[in-house]
């Protein structure tokens, strides 16, 4: 164990940025001194239980609440009729076309249910158990309507998810390189290749996933102060506050939102939820604090889902493997409503399908579709994993078609390191990168040649266990986002971030950030950045966030934006503090400001040993006894940073999978990734983000999928059926980094939060397909369960979609450790 | 209502509980031991793991009345002394050192289960660690650093040098 890295006195001269600081936030979390929303208890607090529709599509014809109201300790039973004028709405912030069809999304249904799990009433009682018991007594009459569940079926508009809208088609969006002047005509490129090159045509399914953060969502609303205070397990306290105000008519200044400790999000808590709005309305109606905490089953059903696309891809190339065109036609199932940024998620793929390759011609089409399923929105990667999967699968298919090594084929087509900055066929300018370096390092760590040789041996000996090698050389765009670009896409907000630095008279520093971490370690990383900039000890920096009364301005945490946008805001604010301090320092030192230099937290007069530390200046400025004329007391500074560009991390991921051709069982043998995420503030945290991201991406490839039955009931509605990977399912990874600093921000950083998830899914599927290629297999639909792999082998290269029973994999072994009931455990006889 | 007497983290409590009350709800709501959390409703996630008479159990899978007359240790009682400057358990130190937590929601259960694992098997292989933690889900870390933390804790506990006592691990 390296404790030295933690000992500031031993290495006090070392820069903080780049250092593997152990996290400040850990102390509380490892000792149970936590503030999850569900831990919040207020005097007289009431508890809410939701009554949810079991039907995917129905009309509510009557609700009888008498019995529930009469139940013990029930304070109120509220229905859509009670709340309809005060509940506000769950808004869509990103209409992707001027004529987007956007059903009104009411937190509590008034009469029309568009998916199972929608809330039709709620019970407010003195305890959570009493509320839940009484919820069973609410008698709702439904008139069931035909449900449309399959997005291709929905396109026909025969059965409508929202009959009053007249169509299931929400919006169509296109990016075309010829029209946009960023490239050639893709149809012409494909036609040319049909006669004199190769054309690869594939259709891939991005299954529906569930973010499944570990902390179920919870909300507490206290209406008893001058402001109505909401605690919520959210990634977006600022956006939530704005939308509560904007849709309920309550003044924004009367609403305070607090995101206390938040247990993971992964995009799943990038939402304003019906539950938040109903709790807000109930608290206002009753004048009492209320709490609602969802069960896991409610979470899986009613928290938004992710992915869910059909991808029709056409790639053209010359016979030597030079790509000439890429056409992308997407269908995206939005579920029952166009969620906060739901319609925009597939659009984010538009700039990513071309990835790191020099396509001269490109077209991206997406049609978004409404169905009677849970609404779909951001899930880790949001649009970019889908795109990366599509292109990385296609590059492997092209390599196989031409008999080329998949890495060689990629190298032939990718942007060379000396070609940066490079403007792509989708019109994005990548600032920096070095695909050669990352790939070379990954090959070496992976022993690419050795594993290829083993693969050959296994093939030659007809080993029942075949080895596959999967490649994914990904890039992504993150760091949402330049406000001007968002404006041009009709996104409902900007993409800037805010920071405030307060220099306390004791020399301590408070940093207020508009980002809203929920596991990312901002308290530690932000302290490192500010400590370096101001030359103060890491320990003296306190990072405050997640409360709109403390951090009054911010756009929260998602899209790998916090460091590349929020981190730059810190730099700007720190520089303003230094500017203010310099004036005071010059005055106190009786020197000209031009003769001062600021290093290591101290203003020194050049050529002398005279100087003042920033803490001394902070105290002097606080006391204000001796300030230059016209200078305000205090050094506190605010800054708002609007990024000039997106951030483009990249990396090379290599995965080796063993596939048992007799059973379809797969086993991950090794996984190597070399990511280029620019300058790293804290390698420990960055690596942790990669690990977690990898497993979420691998889980999409191998295990997870939200499955509905023909009635629109979510059959993967608990952790028994929605199979998150366990420690026993996964392996240890080999991770490394190369570094091409970003040239579009001062720290040189790039985003990292989503990289692992974006890259890993195609690496795994490419490996499985690679193992089975000699058997004629060129696709296995995700998740690649043993059954599906086995069927793919049996179908011997048939291109038709392999059907699955949709059964969950046997996953949780009742005999496994820590699964025992207390009786068998012998703990409590 | 049933009267139960339970020793939790070294303190004896006596309460009237409804027979259906789960141990985890008794801990969180009656005793205010909110360090232990709930992550599911099917006994799959392990977020609620505590020790009952020294063995790990999922406290959502135990009725409060079943703990009557027994000893419960939660994450809040694992360090030798409570409070911010208490001496941490080597497993807590190892989770911090190895960055075995991100959001921290799974962490109390994960640490309690990992302690039980090492009690059973003080020198586990990586595979044994992974299998021993199979009943505890983490969505953030990908388990990589959790496994590392358990390995580090095992090494520290084996040499009986449970980390130099550090006043403030968070520095
Ligand atoms: S809450 Fe106990 S196992 Fe999930
Ligand atoms: S650290 Fe977030 S769930 Fe494990």
């Amino acid at each position: 164990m390296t404790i030295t890295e933690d000992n500031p006195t031993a290495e006090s001269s070392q820069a903080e940025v780049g250092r593997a600081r152990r996290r400040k936030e850990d102390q509380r979390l490892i000792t149970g001194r936590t503030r999850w929303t569900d831990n919040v208890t207020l005097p007289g607090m009431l508890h809410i239980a939701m009554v949810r529709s079991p039907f995917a599509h129905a009309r509510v014809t009557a609700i009888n609440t008498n019995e529930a109201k009469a139940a013990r300790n029930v304070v109120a039973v509220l229905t859509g009729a009670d709340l309809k004028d005060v509940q506000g709405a769950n808004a869509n912030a990103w209409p992707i076309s001027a004529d987007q069809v956007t059903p009104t999304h009411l937190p509590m249904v008034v009469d029309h249910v568009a998916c199972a799990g929608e809330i039709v009433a709620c019970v407010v009682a003195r305890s959570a158990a009493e509320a839940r018991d009484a919820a069973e007594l609410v008698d709702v009459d439904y008139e069931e309507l035909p449900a449309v569940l399959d997005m291709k079926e929905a396109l026909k508009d025969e059965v409508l998810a929202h009959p009053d809208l007249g169509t299931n088609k929400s919006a169509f969006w296109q990016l075309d390189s010829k029209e946009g002047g960023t490239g050639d005509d893709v149809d012409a490129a494909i036609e040319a290749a049909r006669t004199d090159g190769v054309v690869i045509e594939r259709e891939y399914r991005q299954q529906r996933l569930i973010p499944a953060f570990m902390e179920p969502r919870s909300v507490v609303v206290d209406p008893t102060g001058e402001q109505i205070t909401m605690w919520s397990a959210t990634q977006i306290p600022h956006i939530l506050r704005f939308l509560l105000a904007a849709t309920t008519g309550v003044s924004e200044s009367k609403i305070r939102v607090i995101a206390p400790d938040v247990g993971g999000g992964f995009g799943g808590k990038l939402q304003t939820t019906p539950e938040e709005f109903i709790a807000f309305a109930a608290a206002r109606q009753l004048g009492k604090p209320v709490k609602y905490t969802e069960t896991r089953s409610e979470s899986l059903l009613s928290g938004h889902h992710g992915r869910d696309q059909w991808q029709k891809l056409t790639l053209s190339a010359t016979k030597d493997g030079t790509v000439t065109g890429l056409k992308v036609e997407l269908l995206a199932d939005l579920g029952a409503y166009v969620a906060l940024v739901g319609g925009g998620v597939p659009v984010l793929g538009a700039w990513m399908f071309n990835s790191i390759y020099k396509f001269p011609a490109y077209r991206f089409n997406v049609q978004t579709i409404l169905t009677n399923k849970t609404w779909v929105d951001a899930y880790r990667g949001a649009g970019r994993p889908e795109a990366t999967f599509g292109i990385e699968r296609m590059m492997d298919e092209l390599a196989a078609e031409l008999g080329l090594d998949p890495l060689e084929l990629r190298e032939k087509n990718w942007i060379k390191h000396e070609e940066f900055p490079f403007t792509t066929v989708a019109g994005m300018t990548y600032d920096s990168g070095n695909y050669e370096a990352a790939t070379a390092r990954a090959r070496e760590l992976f022993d690419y040649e050795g594993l290829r040789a083993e693969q050959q041996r296994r093939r030659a000996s007809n080993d029942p266990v075949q080895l596959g090698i999967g490649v994914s050389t990904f890039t992504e765009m993150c760091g949402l986002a330049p406000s001007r670009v968002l404006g041009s896409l009709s996104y409902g907000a900007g993409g800037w971030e805010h920071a405030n630095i307060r220099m306390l008279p004791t020399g301590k520093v408070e940093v207020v950030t508009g980002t809203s971490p929920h596991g990312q370690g901002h308290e530690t990383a932000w302290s490192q950045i500010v400590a370096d900039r101001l030359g103060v000890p890491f320990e003296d920096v306190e990072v405050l966030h997640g409360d709109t009364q403390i951090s009054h301005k911010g756009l929260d945490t998602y899209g790998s934006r916090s460091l590349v946008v929020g981190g730059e805001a810190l730099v700007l604010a720190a520089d303003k503090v230094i500017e203010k301090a310099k004036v005071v320092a010059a005055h106190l030192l009786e020197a000209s400001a031009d003769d001062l230099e600021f290093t290591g937290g101290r203003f020194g007069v050049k050529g002398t040993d005279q100087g003042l530390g920033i803490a001394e200046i902070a105290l002097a400025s606080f006391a204000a006894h001796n300030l230059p004329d016209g200078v305000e007391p205090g050094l506190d500074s605010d800054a708002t940073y609007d990024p000039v560009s997106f951030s483009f991390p990249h990396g090379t991921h290599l995965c080796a999978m063993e596939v048992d051709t007799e059973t379809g069982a797969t086993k991950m043998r090794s996984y190597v990734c070399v990511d280029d995420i620019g300058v790293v503030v804290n390698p420990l945290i960055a690596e942790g983000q990669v690990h977690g991201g990898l497993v979420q991406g691998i889980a999409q490839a191998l295990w997870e999928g939200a499955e509905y039955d023909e009635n629109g009931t979510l059959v993967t509605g608990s952790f028994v059926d929605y199979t998150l990977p366990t420690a026993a399912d996964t392996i240890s990874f080999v991770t490394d980094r190369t570094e091409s600093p970003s040239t579009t921000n001062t720290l040189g950083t790039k985003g990292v939060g989503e990289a692992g998830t974006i890259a890993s899914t195609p690496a795994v599927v490419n490996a499985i397909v690679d193992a089975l290629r000699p058997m004629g297999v060129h696709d296995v639909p995700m998740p690649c369960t043993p059954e599906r792999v086995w069927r793919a082998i049996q179908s011997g290269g048939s291109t038709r979609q392999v059907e699955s029973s949709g059964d969950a994999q046997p996953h949780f072994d009742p005999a496994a450790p820590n699964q025992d009931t207390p009786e068998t455990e012998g703990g409590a006889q | 209502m049933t009267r139960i007497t339970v020793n939790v983290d070294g303190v004896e409590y006596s309460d009237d509980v409804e027979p259906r009350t789960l141990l985890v709800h008794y801990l969180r709501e009656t005793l205010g031991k909110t360090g232990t959390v709930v992550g599911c409703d099917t006994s799959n996630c392990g977020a609620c793991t505590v020790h009952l008479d020294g063995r790990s159990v999922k406290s959502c899978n135990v009725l409060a009345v079943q703990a009557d007359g027994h000893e419960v240790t939660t994450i809040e009682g694992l360090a030798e002394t409570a409070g911010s400057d208490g001496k941490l358990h080597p497993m807590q130190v190892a989770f911090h050192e190895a960055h075995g937590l991100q959001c921290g929601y799974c962490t109390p259960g994960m640490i309690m289960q990992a302690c039980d694992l090492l009690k059973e098997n003080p020198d586990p292989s990586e595979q044994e660690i992974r299998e021993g933690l199979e009943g505890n889900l983490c969505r953030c870390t990908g388990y990589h650093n959790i496994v590392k933390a358990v390995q580090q804790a095992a090494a520290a506990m084996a040499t009986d040098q449970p980390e130099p006592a550090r006043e403030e691990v968070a520095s």
Side-chain angles (χ1 to χ4, degrees):
Chain A
M1 250 175 270
T2 50
I3 307 165
T4 47
E5 277 204 307
D6 252 5
N7 185 342
T9 51
E11 300 178 50
S12 53
S13 62
Q14 194 189 327
E16 282 295 337
V17 168
R19 195 165 167 183
R21 279 283 188 188
R22 282 12 179 207
R23 298 197 319 169
K24 288 185 164 184
E25 33 286 82
D26 288 355
Q27 174 73 29
R28 292 185 308 106
L29 299 171
I30 58 177
T31 53
R33 286 184 298 115
T34 41
R35 253 277 152 148
W36 314 109
T37 300
D38 188 54
N39 295 1
V40 175
T41 302
L42 299 170
M45 188 176 79
L46 303 171
H47 298 262
I48 299 180
M50 302 296 176
V51 179
R52 295 177 185 273
S53 168
F55 300 110
H57 196 189
R59 210 162 281 292
V60 177
T61 53
I63 303 181
N64 186 332
T65 60
N66 293 340
E67 213 184 323
K69 276 182 177 146
R72 182 181 147 97
N73 282 328
V74 167
V75 175
V77 180
L78 302 170
T79 65
D82 300 319
L83 297 184
K84 66 180 187 319
D85 298 327
V86 294
Q87 65 174 340
N90 296 116
N92 167 240
W94 187 0
I96 59 170
S97 70
D99 57 354
Q100 173 178 284
V101 172
T102 313
T104 303
H105 189 182
L106 297 177
M108 190 179 282
V109 157
V110 174
D111 61 358
H112 179 246
V113 170
C115 66
E118 274 214 84
I119 299 163
V120 295
C122 74
V123 174
V124 189
R126 287 181 55 206
S127 76
E130 286 162 332
R132 225 166 279 146
D133 285 347
E136 301 283 323
L137 304 175
V138 175
D139 188 12
V140 185
D141 288 341
Y142 297 93
E143 176 201 329
E144 231 189 308
L145 300 171
V148 61
L149 302 165
D150 178 89
M151 68 177 115
K152 289 187 175 176
E153 215 36 59
L155 267 186
K156 298 181 195 158
D157 276 342
E158 284 164 4
V159 178
L160 296 176
H162 294 268
D164 56 325
L165 297 178
T167 179
N168 295 320
K169 299 187 194 79
S170 178
F172 176 81
W173 192 92
Q174 183 179 71
L175 187 152
D176 183 276
S177 65
K178 176 136 189 279
E179 247 170 57
T182 53
D184 304 334
D185 180 10
V186 75
D187 289 325
I190 292 167
E191 272 329 297
R194 281 196 203 283
T195 52
D196 192 26
V198 279
V199 177
I200 309 282
E201 294 177 277
R202 295 284 186 272
E203 188 173 27
Y204 295 128
R205 177 81 171 106
Q206 281 284 325
Q207 80 269 35
R208 184 177 270 252
L209 298 178
I210 306 182
F213 34 75
M214 285 311 297
E215 180 209 14
R217 296 170 307 163
S218 179
V219 56
V220 172
V221 183
D222 183 2
T224 63
E226 186 54 39
Q227 283 80 28
I228 305 170
T229 303
M230 174 183 285
W231 287 261
S232 183
T234 182
Q235 292 174 232
I236 52 164
H238 297 94
I239 296 172
L240 175 57
R241 178 195 190 208
F242 170 80
L243 284 171
L244 281 169
T247 71
T248 63
V250 175
S251 167
E252 194 176 350
S253 60
K254 294 288 185 195
I255 303 172
R256 173 186 189 184
V257 175
I258 301 173
D261 287 337
V262 177
F266 318 110
K269 290 173 181 167
L270 165 49
Q271 196 60 267
T272 68
T273 69
E275 292 83 356
E276 288 164 337
F277 280 62
I278 289 168
F280 190 73
R284 288 175 66 208
Q285 196 108 336
L286 301 171
K288 282 282 195 189
V290 300
K291 179 193 280 186
Y292 167 77
T293 300
E294 67 186 0
T295 62
R296 176 57 59 181
S297 309
E298 285 179 293
S299 186
L300 294 172
L301 176 63
S302 301
H304 72 245
H305 294 174
R307 313 278 191 264
D308 211 352
Q309 296 180 356
W310 278 105
Q311 311 177 318
K312 208 172 140 199
L313 307 174
T314 311
L315 184 150
S316 61
T318 60
K319 287 202 173 110
D320 73 346
T322 305
V323 296
T324 58
L326 179 66
K327 189 158 87 174
V328 177
E329 292 158 284
L330 295 188
L331 298 178
D333 185 351
L334 301 182
Y337 297 99
V338 191
L340 189 62
V341 294
V345 166
V347 169
L348 288 174
W351 297 277
M352 282 291 107
F353 268 95
N354 54 299
S355 189
I356 64 174
Y357 311 112
K358 293 184 279 186
F359 283 96
Y362 176 63
R363 183 184 299 143
F364 171 97
N365 288 349
V366 58
Q367 173 69 54
T368 59
I369 301 164
L370 298 162
T371 62
N372 294 116
K373 291 180 176 173
T374 301
W375 47 97
V376 172
D377 206 319
Y379 171 50
R380 204 169 191 169
R384 291 101 79 212
E386 296 92 320
T388 303
F389 179 86
I391 184 63
E392 288 304 293
R393 288 284 298 109
M394 291 298 275
M395 291 306 277
D396 258 33
E397 293 302 297
L398 178 62
E401 178 75 25
L402 295 171
L404 294 172
D405 176 272
L407 277 174
E408 268 166 42
L409 175 90
R410 283 170 170 82
E411 177 148 25
K412 192 182 193 65
N413 288 292
W414 71 40
I415 303 156
K416 306 282 179 288
H417 69 271
E418 64 272 13
E419 291 175 306
F420 288 94
F422 185 91
T423 300
T424 72
V425 73
M428 269 295 156
T429 301
Y430 297 174
D431 59 337
S432 70
N434 190 332
Y435 310 136
E436 296 91 329
T439 303
R441 181 77 183 125
R443 276 182 95 115
E444 177 191 329
L445 289 169
F446 189 67
D447 184 19
Y448 189 77
E449 278 68 31
L451 285 167
R452 281 282 179 219
E454 179 184 335
Q455 177 180 49
Q456 279 317 318
R457 285 197 300 277
R458 289 194 192 225
R459 282 183 182 171
S461 68
N462 252 329
D463 194 324
V465 178
Q466 289 290 316
L467 181 68
I469 294 166
V471 174
S472 171
T473 51
F474 84 106
T475 189
E476 63 135 333
M477 63 185 238
C478 57
L480 308 179
S483 298
R484 227 177 300 162
V485 176
L486 293 178
S488 72
L489 294 169
S490 308
Y491 182 76
W496 46 262
E497 195 46 82
H498 179 258
N500 167 243
I501 295 181
R502 306 173 185 161
M503 300 301 293
L504 305 182
T506 51
K508 306 291 179 190
V509 181
E510 279 178 343
V511 173
V512 181
T513 176
T515 64
S516 196
H518 37 281
Q520 294 88 341
H522 294 178
E523 291 164 33
T524 303
W526 283 200
S527 297
Q528 291 178 265
I529 293 170
V530 172
D532 259 5
R533 208 77 185 179
L534 295 180
V536 297
F538 169 78
E539 295 73 18
D540 286 355
V541 184
E542 188 78 21
V543 178
L544 308 174
H545 59 80
D547 177 343
T548 60
Q549 237 169 47
I550 293 168
S551 162
H552 64 287
K553 199 171 161 190
L555 285 169
D556 307 319
T557 286
Y558 44 84
S560 305
R561 70 186 303 275
S562 296
L563 175 59
V564 293
V565 188
E568 288 298 311
L570 297 177
V571 171
L572 290 183
D575 288 351
K576 287 187 188 174
V577 168
I578 295 166
E579 279 312 303
K580 285 188 187 177
K582 193 174 199 176
V583 177
V584 180
H587 178 74
L588 295 175
L589 291 165
E590 294 175 351
S592 152
D594 296 338
D595 291 336
L596 296 184
E597 51 188 7
F598 183 66
T599 46
R602 190 180 146 87
F603 288 96
V605 184
K606 283 178 205 158
T608 74
D609 57 0
Q610 276 198 310
L612 276 173
I614 194 148
E616 295 168 275
I617 300 165
L619 180 60
S621 184
F622 166 78
H625 296 162
N626 181 15
L627 295 178
D629 288 342
V631 168
E632 284 179 35
L635 303 177
D636 300 355
S637 297
D638 279 277
T640 304
Y641 174 75
D642 200 343
V644 296
S645 172
F646 290 91
S647 172
F648 303 97
H650 72 83
T652 297
H653 289 222
L654 299 173
C655 171
M657 295 290 294
E658 289 177 1
V659 182
D660 185 329
T661 55
E662 286 166 358
T663 63
T666 62
K667 185 171 162 237
M668 189 172 289
R669 168 94 161 256
S670 64
Y671 195 104
V672 169
C673 63
V674 177
D675 288 304
D676 186 336
I677 50 172
V679 173
V680 168
V681 174
N682 184 320
L684 198 67
I685 292 175
E687 208 182 315
Q689 287 291 315
V690 171
H691 293 152
L694 288 179
V695 169
Q696 286 185 12
I698 293 166
Q700 173 172 19
L702 296 178
W703 301 295
E704 292 179 23
E707 301 275 355
Y708 283 81
D709 69 11
E710 64 285 0
N711 298 316
T713 303
L714 180 69
V715 295
T716 53
S718 80
F719 271 166
V720 177
D721 302 305
Y722 192 82
T723 49
L724 297 195
T726 71
D729 296 322
T730 49
I731 64 168
S732 291
F733 306 106
V734 179
T735 59
D736 201 356
R737 285 186 285 110
T738 50
E739 192 173 301
S740 329
S742 168
T743 59
T744 58
N745 63 44
T746 58
L747 291 169
T749 60
K750 302 178 184 178
V752 66
E754 298 161 292
T757 307
I758 291 170
S760 60
T761 312
V764 176
V765 178
N766 277 342
I768 293 173
V769 173
D770 184 56
L772 302 177
R773 253 190 225 284
M775 312 177 86
V777 172
H778 66 68
D779 192 27
V780 179
M782 296 188 290
C784 303
T785 57
E787 184 203 337
R788 286 176 174 182
V789 173
W790 186 83
R791 280 172 187 264
I793 296 166
Q794 296 310 305
S795 69
S798 145
T799 55
R800 88 196 137 72
Q801 196 62 45
V802 180
E803 285 305 319
S804 160
S805 65
D807 282 351
Q809 281 192 79
H811 192 64
F812 291 102
D813 176 0
N818 198 19
Q819 295 285 341
D820 300 350
T821 60
E823 288 72 25
T824 57
E825 188 79 26
Q829 289 87 354
Chain B
M1 288 286 183
T2 310
R3 168 69 48 95
I4 61 168
T5 303
V6 193
N7 186 302
V8 181
D9 296 335
V11 177
E12 192 142 300
Y13 296 90
S14 190
D15 283 290
D16 293 326
V17 297
E18 270 191 62
R20 67 171 176 174
T21 305
L22 298 174
L23 177 58
V24 68
H25 290 137
Y26 174 69
L27 293 172
R28 287 179 55 78
E29 284 152 30
T30 310
L31 304 187
K33 292 265 176 192
T34 49
T36 302
V37 296
V38 177
C40 74
D41 45 10
T42 48
S43 305
N44 284 112
C45 77
C48 62
T49 304
V50 299
H51 292 171
L52 188 61
D53 295 337
R55 289 300 316 276
S56 73
V57 292
K58 292 181 172 178
S59 63
C60 72
N61 213 11
V62 180
L63 295 170
V65 293
Q66 287 175 290
D68 185 23
H70 293 274
E71 247 177 54
V72 175
T73 307
T74 76
I75 189 71
E76 296 174 54
L78 191 62
E80 263 171 42
T81 49
S84 60
D85 52 359
K87 187 157 171 264
L88 295 174
H89 188 281
M91 190 63 75
Q92 291 170 312
V93 174
F95 267 69
H96 172 64
E97 283 295 329
H99 188 32
L101 64 150
Q102 290 180 24
C103 79
Y105 199 76
C106 71
T107 310
M110 205 58 94
I111 287 179
M112 297 311 278
Q113 177 59 17
C115 287
D116 193 53
L117 190 159
L118 290 191
K119 202 167 163 190
E120 285 281 289
N121 179 358
D123 185 23
S125 67
E126 174 175 346
Q127 200 48 37
E128 285 168 337
I129 293 172
R130 288 184 173 279
E131 279 160 19
L133 297 177
E134 193 172 23
N136 291 66
L137 297 175
C138 173
R139 192 58 153 170
C140 297
T141 63
Y143 304 105
H144 182 113
N145 283 343
I146 289 178
V147 172
K148 234 162 105 178
V150 178
Q151 287 168 333
Q152 290 186 6
M157 288 160 79
T159 57
D160 223 2
Q161 295 285 317
E163 282 293 294
R166 295 184 326 153
E167 293 294 277
E168 178 60 76
V169 299
S171 64

